[in-house]
Amino acid sequence: MKKLIFFIGLLCSMSMSAHDFEVDDIYYNITSSTDNTVEVTYYGNDYKVYSVYSGAVSIPETVTYKGRTYSVTGIGYGAFYWDTGLTSVVIPNSVTSIGDFAFWYCSGLTSVEMGSSLSSIGEQAFCGCSGLTSVVIPNSVSCIEDYAFQGCFNLLSLKIGSGVTSIGGYTFSGCSALHSVKIGSSVAEIGEWAFGDCSALTSIEIPDKVKNIGNRAFTYCSGLTSVVFGDGVTSIGDEAFFGCAALTSVVIPDNVNSIGNRSFANCSALTSVVIPDNVTSIGINPFAGCSNLVSIIVDEENAFYDSREGCNAIIETSSNALVAGCQSTIIPDGVTSIGSYAFAFCSGLDSVVIPNSVINIRSYAFQGCSSLTAASFPALTTVSGNNAFYYAFFACNRLTSVDLSSLATVSGAGAFNYAFRNCLALTSVDLSSLAAIDVN
């Protein structure tokens, strides 16, 4: 019985001591007995249970335990997890990595000094460190992982060193006080939501090595007034600048070949845009909800899209589909369809005349056009295609009349479903010629 009690006690003592040793109130794990290296770790067997670090912590380059000297090369997974009493930390030049969750929600942390040998910052490493006001990432760092500084909402300034090649997803999202960012010249990729919800950010310069701007990378940066793209940018992701309401102008670089879905949507101060000649792919209306947009020009050398006859719209040349329009768009003859969300939330559009070449209005084409009072399709005889007119005029709350007097045939699954839903002022829809409907 005594042996059993001793064995249980031994197991308990082992489970409570995940760290290998402690020196000067800092806990360590041995990472290599051959190379004599250690990493800073948490106390006990669960990083979520104990909060042991507080005040100012200066991590040494070397530590001696039982006559053996070790080099401190890392800060381990969850090492300072939720240690809200921690106020500052100095990371020595010997440390090469900061692990995932290392300083997660250390809300009292106001200062962090990173050593010159640091090469990587792990996922959520400083997530929720709301006391941080400035961060300088040294030139030795090459990778900043996802969510690394998410929710540091008092962070004012950020300098990213010249060695960083990749900024992960959500890395600085929710840093709502951040107004100054210097992105290092070696950055080649900016991940999704990387700077999303950084509402105080006023300007950004994208380095030349960046090729891809991730989905929603700068979404809801509502204070952003200036974006300077590097020459290397080839793709702008879905909703990359969605909701950047203060952005008044944007120059899309010549090397861009892909513009994603709603990439500049709800940039309500944007007045003009030029699509360069190398663009080969444009997603669902990149400029939906740009309520002050009055000028859209496609470079004449572009082989895939055009703005024929000065129409102030983007038309896919091969299909004659109008992809994006604005309040000053005049839909030219020859256009065969109005694309999904093509005029969505175009609040300055008060009337629209559809030429007789148009045979299809795609879903949500005029959604939320709050000033639109009349829509006329004087020569439209046939509507065909799945989801044609689906929610096409949804929530056009001033629309009073729609002229479809020549429309004789409607076909396609879901065609005209909810086409005029929430059009509360609508009193007249002329369908006097309609003879056949096949929407099965």
Side-chain angles (χ1 to χ4, degrees), residues 202-264:
T202 59
S203 65
I204 193 76
E205 291 188 20
I206 311 294
D208 287 341
K209 288 189 178 180
V210 173
K211 292 185 177 180
N212 304 312
I213 298 175
N215 296 342
R216 304 169 191 86
F218 296 93
T219 193
Y220 293 117
C221 290
S222 56
L224 193 65
T225 59
S226 171
V227 178
V228 178
F229 292 96
D231 292 336
V233 175
T234 60
S235 73
I236 300 172
D238 294 348
E239 300 183 0
F241 295 91
F242 184 100
C244 294
L247 192 62
T248 57
S249 65
V250 61
V251 178
I252 300 172
D254 290 339
N255 288 328
V256 169
N257 55 51
S258 175
I259 301 173
N261 297 331
R262 296 177 291 274
S263 51
F264 294 92

Side-chain angles (χ1 to χ4, degrees), residues 341-360:
Y341 299 92
F343 291 90
F345 301 104
C346 186
S347 59
L349 187 69
D350 55 14
S351 65
V352 61
V353 177
I354 308 296
N356 57 15
S357 56
V358 172
I359 61 171
N360 198 353

Side-chain angles (χ1 to χ4, degrees), residues 187-385:
V187 171
E189 183 175 358
I190 299 175
E192 64 174 351
W193 276 95
F195 293 92
D197 282 322
C198 291
S199 54
L201 191 62
T202 59
S203 65
I204 193 76
E205 291 188 20
I206 311 294
D208 287 341
K209 288 189 178 180
V210 173
K211 292 185 177 180
N212 304 312
I213 298 175
N215 296 342
R216 304 169 191 86
F218 296 93
T219 193
Y220 293 117
C221 290
S222 56
L224 193 65
T225 59
S226 171
V227 178
V228 178
F229 292 96
D231 292 336
V233 175
T234 60
S235 73
I236 300 172
D238 294 348
E239 300 183 0
F241 295 91
F242 184 100
C244 294
L247 192 62
T248 57
S249 65
V250 61
V251 178
I252 300 172
D254 290 339
N255 288 328
V256 169
N257 55 51
S258 175
I259 301 173
N261 297 331
R262 296 177 291 274
S263 51
F264 294 92
N266 285 11
C267 293
S268 54
L270 194 64
T271 59
S272 64
V273 66
V274 176
I275 306 298
D277 61 340
N278 285 318
V279 173
T280 60
S281 174
I282 297 177
I284 292 172
N285 189 356
F287 307 103
C290 294
S291 54
N292 285 299
L293 187 63
V294 294
S295 175
I296 302 175
I297 298 172
V298 179
D299 191 290
E300 292 182 355
E301 300 298 318
N302 192 299
F304 294 85
Y305 298 93
D306 65 79
S307 52
R308 66 191 70 167
E309 302 173 26
C311 63
N312 285 314
I314 301 172
I315 299 169
E316 186 179 47
T317 305
S318 62
S319 66
N320 289 311
L322 192 148
V323 175
C326 65
Q327 60 181 290
S328 57
T329 296
I330 298 174
I331 303 173
D333 287 334
V335 169
T336 58
S337 68
I338 310 297
S340 295
Y341 299 92
F343 291 90
F345 301 104
C346 186
S347 59
L349 187 69
D350 55 14
S351 65
V352 61
V353 177
I354 308 296
N356 57 15
S357 56
V358 172
I359 61 171
N360 198 353
I361 309 290
R362 303 303 300 172
S363 56
Y364 299 96
F366 295 92
Q367 178 190 11
C369 291
S370 56
S371 297
L372 187 63
T373 58
S376 178
F377 306 79
L380 184 63
T381 59
T382 302
V383 168
S384 62

